[in-house]
Amino acid sequence: QVEMAESGGGSVEAGGSLRLSCEASGYTESPAYMGWFRQAPGEEREGVASMVFRSGKTSYSDSVKGRFTISQDNVKNTVYLQMNNLKTGDTGMYYCGGADAPGGPLLGETFGYWGQGTQVTVSS
């Protein structure tokens, strides 16, 4: 059974940084994709960043490009999201997703496995 476990959320002032981690367990091989999504209250879940595990190819939403960096530890089936220069608009619940097959790198429908989420709150 595949499980995704996020950690690293918290509260920070605007301009600060946070690093999120997500470990995928239960895979017999590496996932095809791992990615990060976020959902603010009253909003739909949106794709933030994802990575093709075998090639390392990354994708980012325009809203975080240049501020967030996704990276991986292939041995641990873990991805990280380094978030710098955080803005109040980055506030939300951040979810880690895992995908078995290629698809739209920032589309929720690509990902079949989800973690419980970790809260990120950015204050002004």
Side-chain angles (χ1 to χ4, degrees):
Q1 180 179 354
V2 174
E3 294 185 353
M4 318 294 290
E6 306 101 334
S7 62
S11 297
V12 65
E13 292 186 351
S17 298
L18 285 173
R19 188 188 193 216
L20 307 183
S21 300
C22 173
E23 181 176 3
S25 61
Y27 272 101
T28 54
E29 298 181 354
S30 296
Y33 281 92
M34 287 182 71
W36 290 96
F37 289 68
R38 68 185 180 191
Q39 187 168 19
E43 303 287 334
E44 293 187 356
R45 189 176 298 189
E46 64 166 337
V48 173
S50 71
M51 171 172 277
V52 180
F53 231 65
R54 289 185 177 85
S55 70
K57 181 180 179 181
T58 58
S59 298
Y60 295 94
S61 67
D62 288 342
S63 61
V64 307
K65 202 171 293 183
R67 300 188 297 122
F68 290 12
T69 303
I70 188 171
S71 60
Q72 66 186 44
D73 182 330
N74 286 13
V75 175
K76 297 181 180 179
N77 275 357
T78 297
V79 289
Y80 306 96
L81 187 67
Q82 178 65 43
M83 305 185 294
N84 297 329
N85 190 21
L86 282 159
K87 304 176 180 181
T88 55
D90 294 319
T91 294
M93 186 70 78
Y94 281 68
Y95 297 91
C96 176
D100 290 337
L106 296 178
L107 295 179
E109 63 196 40
T110 298
F111 296 81
Y113 306 104
W114 295 96
Q116 294 298 308
T118 185
Q119 178 68 36
V120 171
T121 303
V122 184
S123 59
S124 58

